[in-house]
Amino acid sequence: MTTDVTTDVTTDVTTELTPESELIIDRLRQLRTLDAPTHGGHVLSYVYDSGLAELDELAATAIRIMQPVNGLDPTTFPSVAAMERDVIGFTKRMLGAGPDAAGSDEVVGSVTSGGTESCLLAVKTARDVWRAAGGEGIPRLVAPVTVHAAFHKAAHYFGLELDLVSVGLDGRVDTAELIDRLAPDVALVVVSAPAYPHATLDPVGAVAAAASALGIACHVDACIGGWVLPWWSDDLPAWNFEVPGVTSMSADLHKFGYAPKGVSVLLHRGRDRQRAQFFATKRWPGYPVVNPTMLGSKSAGALAAAWAIVHRLGEPGFAALSASCKRATDALTDAIRAIDGLAVLGAPVGPLFAVAADESVPSERRIDPHVWADRVRQLGWLLQQQPGLTQANGVRLPPTTHLTITPVTESVLEPLVAALVQAADEVRGVASIDPMQVLGAIGGVAELLAGSGGGEIALSSDQAFGVLSQLGIGGGAGGETSASSGGVLPDQLAPLLTLIEALPAPLTERLLIELLARLVE
Ligand SMILES: *Cc1c(COP(=O)(O)O)cnc(C)c1O
């Protein structure tokens, strides 16, 4: 059957909206005014702005053309397979995959809905391959503690034990310690290129070699680095499929691929390995099902947008955007290192980094990164606040402020640096918040903590909401709330982050669940 695209109203016919529809669109625009700005470089996480207006238009047009298509079935909609083939081919070339010296090309892949789905499927696949090879009991997933939370989720969903290796204060894992954890019950070891919290580039070569010698799968999580590190620097240690023991990689197109949200790539070395990712069944009275990824019916829109952007940019386009990110990252890290009282954590690789208090200066010159980020936000720039974390070995990773740099950042460097410096000057020497003081102000939480003994906590929805209200979050009674957070979060987040660090994980996680659930209710 040939398809007549001109019969499809969404491709090129522009139908005028009725006044009724215009009103609905007006309401949508009104809702969007509540959001953080997605363009212009004022939000230094979540959004990846190429700074090229034409790319947005290209993506919008591609999405519009694919709007009615169901990505579930590439036999009915071959355009989906064609776009996916193209995108995977480009990703492979960029990540050092392709025919080896003997001409064999064993790296195959899928397009997924995002980094989390790529990571989930990498874990599920490794678990199933491990079981098929005779693995019994609960498999382990080994990774540095800086591995993305998506792997916590994967271990939780798919029944693996997460075995996290503590890192040093520079964010680096001890390679020998990590390799020491590898044993026959390990289904997968994960390293990151780079890891999200501090942009640490993990020791991919050594870990992959050790894993390979033991027959253990090794995933390189390049969700954030995959579309920018290929053009970052000539002297990076090998981090992709050029390393022989690397068995899978993830790279998000909706980050430095500049595509709209909903698209990532997962590659595996070996067709047989990748086939373990798929699910098929004929054991129901409906159509025979075969899905490479987690979703059934799915949009082809983000894939089409990514496909169009990859073609439009090509290697030279990505190289130019990466170079812009690098110039801006260098300028910003230089500027922050020059601020008395702040320090860039470790040796970040790629367009992201974390800022901590400089512990080498006396406390009256030190800057608390969360108090700083709160002040920077009042000046119009949104940085991401990361709580401190006490690791299994007792070493506490400090609280930090995270910045992700995108090509648009270069165009706003001057006012951004000015705001970072001004905020630093205004909060230098301001003491960090004592979590016990915050806790003391809210009696209910202290009682809960006493009752829980720091362990599992079974709060009803109403109890959890009560605690949130006492904390002044979730739209309940309490302190000043911020217009930019829709009235849900307080203006000053530093006390909240201190609490998140101090409270037991099960309690904090329960409260986070309640916060998000109530936000929608
Ligand atoms: C963003 C990210 C993920 C998860 O990706 P989502 O697209 O947010 O689901 C996984 N790993 C790393 C290193 C990331 O930066």
Side-chain angles (χ1 to χ4, degrees), residues 442-477:
I442 38 172
V445 178
E447 279 162 36
L448 278 173
L449 280 180
S452 78
E456 286 305 319
I457 208 154
L459 289 189
S460 71
S461 166
D462 285 342
Q463 284 173 318
F465 186 61
V467 176
L468 288 175
S469 302
Q470 287 187 59
L471 293 169
I473 52 187

mmCIF file of all heavy atoms in Angstrom, residues 442-477:
data_model
loop_
_atom_site.group_PDB
_atom_site.id
_atom_site.type_symbol
_atom_site.label_atom_id
_atom_site.label_comp_id
_atom_site.label_asym_id
_atom_site.label_seq_id
_atom_site.Cartn_x
_atom_site.Cartn_y
_atom_site.Cartn_z
ATOM 1 N N ILE A 442 10.116 21.896 64.095
ATOM 2 C CA ILE A 442 8.938 21.136 63.669
ATOM 3 C C ILE A 442 8.816 19.874 64.509
ATOM 4 O O ILE A 442 9.426 18.849 64.214
ATOM 5 C CB ILE A 442 9.017 20.788 62.171
ATOM 6 C CG1 ILE A 442 10.456 20.443 61.771
ATOM 7 C CG2 ILE A 442 8.499 21.932 61.324
ATOM 8 C CD1 ILE A 442 10.571 19.904 60.379
ATOM 9 N N GLY A 443 8.023 19.990 65.555
ATOM 10 C CA GLY A 443 7.919 18.923 66.549
ATOM 11 C C GLY A 443 7.562 17.581 65.966
ATOM 12 O O GLY A 443 8.117 16.560 66.344
ATOM 13 N N GLY A 444 6.622 17.560 65.036
ATOM 14 C CA GLY A 444 6.108 16.298 64.512
ATOM 15 C C GLY A 444 7.185 15.411 63.924
ATOM 16 O O GLY A 444 7.183 14.197 64.119
ATOM 17 N N VAL A 445 8.130 16.038 63.234
ATOM 18 C CA VAL A 445 9.159 15.255 62.572
ATOM 19 C C VAL A 445 10.061 14.571 63.598
ATOM 20 O O VAL A 445 10.401 13.396 63.459
ATOM 21 C CB VAL A 445 10.001 16.133 61.623
ATOM 22 C CG1 VAL A 445 11.101 15.318 60.977
ATOM 23 C CG2 VAL A 445 9.112 16.742 60.556
ATOM 24 N N ALA A 446 10.400 15.316 64.640
ATOM 25 C CA ALA A 446 11.256 14.747 65.681
ATOM 26 C C ALA A 446 10.591 13.501 66.281
ATOM 27 O O ALA A 446 11.238 12.470 66.488
ATOM 28 C CB ALA A 446 11.530 15.790 66.756
ATOM 29 N N GLU A 447 9.264 13.598 66.531
ATOM 30 C CA GLU A 447 8.550 12.439 67.077
ATOM 31 C C GLU A 447 8.591 11.261 66.111
ATOM 32 O O GLU A 447 8.818 10.122 66.509
ATOM 33 C CB GLU A 447 7.080 12.801 67.333
ATOM 34 C CG GLU A 447 6.858 13.559 68.640
ATOM 35 C CD GLU A 447 5.513 14.273 68.646
ATOM 36 O OE1 GLU A 447 4.548 13.727 68.090
ATOM 37 O OE2 GLU A 447 5.460 15.394 69.179
ATOM 38 N N LEU A 448 8.367 11.575 64.841
ATOM 39 C CA LEU A 448 8.392 10.515 63.828
ATOM 40 C C LEU A 448 9.740 9.813 63.820
ATOM 41 O O LEU A 448 9.825 8.586 63.753
ATOM 42 C CB LEU A 448 8.161 11.112 62.441
ATOM 43 C CG LEU A 448 6.716 11.368 62.058
ATOM 44 C CD1 LEU A 448 6.655 12.116 60.749
ATOM 45 C CD2 LEU A 448 5.981 10.035 61.946
ATOM 46 N N LEU A 449 10.795 10.634 63.883
ATOM 47 C CA LEU A 449 12.147 10.085 63.839
ATOM 48 C C LEU A 449 12.386 9.179 65.033
ATOM 49 O O LEU A 449 12.908 8.080 64.902
ATOM 50 C CB LEU A 449 13.173 11.216 63.837
ATOM 51 C CG LEU A 449 13.397 11.864 62.490
ATOM 52 C CD1 LEU A 449 14.424 12.974 62.615
ATOM 53 C CD2 LEU A 449 13.865 10.826 61.487
ATOM 54 N N ALA A 450 11.945 9.668 66.218
ATOM 55 C CA ALA A 450 12.119 8.875 67.429
ATOM 56 C C ALA A 450 11.379 7.548 67.272
ATOM 57 O O ALA A 450 11.881 6.479 67.616
ATOM 58 C CB ALA A 450 11.592 9.643 68.634
ATOM 59 N N GLY A 451 10.178 7.608 66.688
ATOM 60 C CA GLY A 451 9.363 6.413 66.523
ATOM 61 C C GLY A 451 9.930 5.453 65.496
ATOM 62 O O GLY A 451 9.774 4.241 65.608
ATOM 63 N N SER A 452 10.607 5.991 64.483
ATOM 64 C CA SER A 452 11.053 5.136 63.382
ATOM 65 C C SER A 452 12.382 4.463 63.680
ATOM 66 O O SER A 452 12.744 3.501 63.015
ATOM 67 C CB SER A 452 11.205 5.968 62.112
ATOM 68 O OG SER A 452 12.409 6.694 62.155
ATOM 69 N N GLY A 453 13.107 4.989 64.667
ATOM 70 C CA GLY A 453 14.434 4.446 64.945
ATOM 71 C C GLY A 453 15.353 4.583 63.744
ATOM 72 O O GLY A 453 16.323 3.863 63.603
ATOM 73 N N GLY A 454 15.030 5.502 62.847
ATOM 74 C CA GLY A 454 15.881 5.753 61.683
ATOM 75 C C GLY A 454 15.704 4.727 60.582
ATOM 76 O O GLY A 454 16.289 4.840 59.516
ATOM 77 N N GLY A 455 14.859 3.723 60.802
ATOM 78 C CA GLY A 455 14.725 2.680 59.779
ATOM 79 C C GLY A 455 13.498 2.874 58.917
ATOM 80 O O GLY A 455 13.115 3.999 58.621
ATOM 81 N N GLU A 456 12.851 1.780 58.543
ATOM 82 C CA GLU A 456 11.667 1.834 57.681
ATOM 83 C C GLU A 456 10.582 2.668 58.349
ATOM 84 O O GLU A 456 10.436 2.683 59.567
ATOM 85 C CB GLU A 456 11.155 0.423 57.407
ATOM 86 C CG GLU A 456 12.026 -0.361 56.439
ATOM 87 C CD GLU A 456 12.250 0.364 55.112
ATOM 88 O OE1 GLU A 456 11.292 0.967 54.585
ATOM 89 O OE2 GLU A 456 13.387 0.330 54.611
ATOM 90 N N ILE A 457 9.821 3.338 57.563
ATOM 91 C CA ILE A 457 8.830 4.217 58.121
ATOM 92 C C ILE A 457 7.565 4.060 57.289
ATOM 93 O O ILE A 457 7.608 4.107 56.077
ATOM 94 C CB ILE A 457 9.373 5.656 58.137
ATOM 95 C CG1 ILE A 457 8.732 6.439 59.263
ATOM 96 C CG2 ILE A 457 9.203 6.353 56.840
ATOM 97 C CD1 ILE A 457 9.629 7.570 59.713
ATOM 98 N N ALA A 458 6.451 3.762 57.954
ATOM 99 C CA ALA A 458 5.199 3.552 57.236
ATOM 100 C C ALA A 458 4.261 4.705 57.523
ATOM 101 O O ALA A 458 3.464 4.666 58.456
ATOM 102 C CB ALA A 458 4.575 2.222 57.646
ATOM 103 N N LEU A 459 4.387 5.773 56.758
ATOM 104 C CA LEU A 459 3.535 6.940 56.949
ATOM 105 C C LEU A 459 2.327 6.821 56.039
ATOM 106 O O LEU A 459 2.454 6.433 54.877
ATOM 107 C CB LEU A 459 4.287 8.217 56.561
ATOM 108 C CG LEU A 459 5.409 8.710 57.454
ATOM 109 C CD1 LEU A 459 5.846 10.097 56.990
ATOM 110 C CD2 LEU A 459 4.960 8.761 58.891
ATOM 111 N N SER A 460 1.158 7.180 56.557
ATOM 112 C CA SER A 460 0.004 7.293 55.675
ATOM 113 C C SER A 460 0.190 8.562 54.853
ATOM 114 O O SER A 460 0.998 9.432 55.193
ATOM 115 C CB SER A 460 -1.273 7.379 56.490
ATOM 116 O OG SER A 460 -1.331 8.643 57.127
ATOM 117 N N SER A 461 -0.582 8.643 53.794
ATOM 118 C CA SER A 461 -0.523 9.830 52.956
ATOM 119 C C SER A 461 -0.802 11.086 53.790
ATOM 120 O O SER A 461 -0.113 12.102 53.644
ATOM 121 C CB SER A 461 -1.542 9.690 51.829
ATOM 122 O OG SER A 461 -1.730 10.918 51.201
ATOM 123 N N ASP A 462 -1.783 11.018 54.679
ATOM 124 C CA ASP A 462 -2.129 12.201 55.474
ATOM 125 C C ASP A 462 -1.022 12.579 56.457
ATOM 126 O O ASP A 462 -0.740 13.759 56.661
ATOM 127 C CB ASP A 462 -3.450 11.971 56.226
ATOM 128 C CG ASP A 462 -4.641 12.057 55.275
ATOM 129 O OD1 ASP A 462 -4.464 12.608 54.166
ATOM 130 O OD2 ASP A 462 -5.726 11.556 55.638
ATOM 131 N N GLN A 463 -0.395 11.567 57.061
ATOM 132 C CA GLN A 463 0.726 11.870 57.971
ATOM 133 C C GLN A 463 1.866 12.538 57.212
ATOM 134 O O GLN A 463 2.443 13.533 57.667
ATOM 135 C CB GLN A 463 1.245 10.582 58.615
ATOM 136 C CG GLN A 463 0.358 10.027 59.718
ATOM 137 C CD GLN A 463 0.855 8.664 60.182
ATOM 138 O OE1 GLN A 463 1.235 7.818 59.367
ATOM 139 N NE2 GLN A 463 0.869 8.453 61.491
ATOM 140 N N ALA A 464 2.185 11.979 56.052
ATOM 141 C CA ALA A 464 3.291 12.535 55.263
ATOM 142 C C ALA A 464 2.972 13.971 54.864
ATOM 143 O O ALA A 464 3.829 14.861 54.922
ATOM 144 C CB ALA A 464 3.547 11.671 54.030
ATOM 145 N N PHE A 465 1.721 14.195 54.464
ATOM 146 C CA PHE A 465 1.330 15.554 54.064
ATOM 147 C C PHE A 465 1.416 16.506 55.251
ATOM 148 O O PHE A 465 1.796 17.666 55.102
ATOM 149 C CB PHE A 465 -0.080 15.545 53.469
ATOM 150 C CG PHE A 465 -0.483 16.867 52.909
ATOM 151 C CD1 PHE A 465 0.243 17.448 51.862
ATOM 152 C CD2 PHE A 465 -1.572 17.568 53.419
ATOM 153 C CE1 PHE A 465 -0.114 18.676 51.343
ATOM 154 C CE2 PHE A 465 -1.934 18.807 52.908
ATOM 155 C CZ PHE A 465 -1.204 19.360 51.867
ATOM 156 N N GLY A 466 1.081 15.986 56.435
ATOM 157 C CA GLY A 466 1.185 16.798 57.642
ATOM 158 C C GLY A 466 2.612 17.261 57.881
ATOM 159 O O GLY A 466 2.859 18.418 58.210
ATOM 160 N N VAL A 467 3.550 16.348 57.703
ATOM 161 C CA VAL A 467 4.956 16.708 57.891
ATOM 162 C C VAL A 467 5.371 17.755 56.858
ATOM 163 O O VAL A 467 6.018 18.759 57.187
ATOM 164 C CB VAL A 467 5.863 15.458 57.779
ATOM 165 C CG1 VAL A 467 7.332 15.862 57.871
ATOM 166 C CG2 VAL A 467 5.513 14.448 58.861
ATOM 167 N N LEU A 468 4.982 17.536 55.610
ATOM 168 C CA LEU A 468 5.332 18.503 54.555
ATOM 169 C C LEU A 468 4.781 19.882 54.906
ATOM 170 O O LEU A 468 5.468 20.897 54.733
ATOM 171 C CB LEU A 468 4.766 18.050 53.204
ATOM 172 C CG LEU A 468 5.441 16.845 52.548
ATOM 173 C CD1 LEU A 468 4.685 16.436 51.285
ATOM 174 C CD2 LEU A 468 6.896 17.161 52.203
ATOM 175 N N SER A 469 3.555 19.920 55.392
ATOM 176 C CA SER A 469 2.939 21.209 55.719
ATOM 177 C C SER A 469 3.724 21.922 56.811
ATOM 178 O O SER A 469 3.931 23.132 56.753
ATOM 179 C CB SER A 469 1.494 21.014 56.173
ATOM 180 O OG SER A 469 0.777 20.361 55.157
ATOM 181 N N GLN A 470 4.170 21.143 57.815
ATOM 182 C CA GLN A 470 4.971 21.756 58.876
ATOM 183 C C GLN A 470 6.266 22.327 58.331
ATOM 184 O O GLN A 470 6.821 23.278 58.864
ATOM 185 C CB GLN A 470 5.319 20.721 59.938
ATOM 186 C CG GLN A 470 4.137 20.340 60.815
ATOM 187 C CD GLN A 470 4.596 19.454 61.947
ATOM 188 O OE1 GLN A 470 5.435 19.858 62.743
ATOM 189 N NE2 GLN A 470 4.071 18.243 61.999
ATOM 190 N N LEU A 471 6.760 21.690 57.273
ATOM 191 C CA LEU A 471 7.995 22.175 56.663
ATOM 192 C C LEU A 471 7.730 23.348 55.722
ATOM 193 O O LEU A 471 8.650 23.916 55.153
ATOM 194 C CB LEU A 471 8.675 21.040 55.869
ATOM 195 C CG LEU A 471 9.217 19.883 56.701
ATOM 196 C CD1 LEU A 471 9.625 18.720 55.807
ATOM 197 C CD2 LEU A 471 10.408 20.337 57.527
ATOM 198 N N GLY A 472 6.464 23.666 55.523
ATOM 199 C CA GLY A 472 6.122 24.796 54.656
ATOM 200 C C GLY A 472 6.225 24.451 53.184
ATOM 201 O O GLY A 472 6.404 25.335 52.345
ATOM 202 N N ILE A 473 6.097 23.153 52.864
ATOM 203 C CA ILE A 473 6.146 22.784 51.447
ATOM 204 C C ILE A 473 4.900 21.996 51.050
ATOM 205 O O ILE A 473 4.153 21.523 51.894
ATOM 206 C CB ILE A 473 7.421 21.974 51.103
ATOM 207 C CG1 ILE A 473 7.569 20.795 52.058
ATOM 208 C CG2 ILE A 473 8.630 22.837 51.130
ATOM 209 C CD1 ILE A 473 8.867 20.064 51.885
ATOM 210 N N GLY A 474 4.686 21.928 49.757
ATOM 211 C CA GLY A 474 3.549 21.183 49.251
ATOM 212 C C GLY A 474 2.282 22.027 49.227
ATOM 213 O O GLY A 474 1.184 21.512 49.081
ATOM 214 N N GLY A 475 2.443 23.354 49.388
ATOM 215 C CA GLY A 475 1.272 24.214 49.322
ATOM 216 C C GLY A 475 0.480 24.246 50.619
ATOM 217 O O GLY A 475 -0.583 24.834 50.686
ATOM 218 N N GLY A 476 1.000 23.583 51.662
ATOM 219 C CA GLY A 476 0.314 23.613 52.951
ATOM 220 C C GLY A 476 0.653 24.891 53.700
ATOM 221 O O GLY A 476 1.214 25.831 53.142
ATOM 222 N N ALA A 477 0.319 24.930 54.993
ATOM 223 C CA ALA A 477 0.641 26.100 55.791
ATOM 224 C C ALA A 477 2.155 26.224 55.927
ATOM 225 O O ALA A 477 2.866 25.254 55.775
ATOM 226 C CB ALA A 477 0.019 25.962 57.180
#
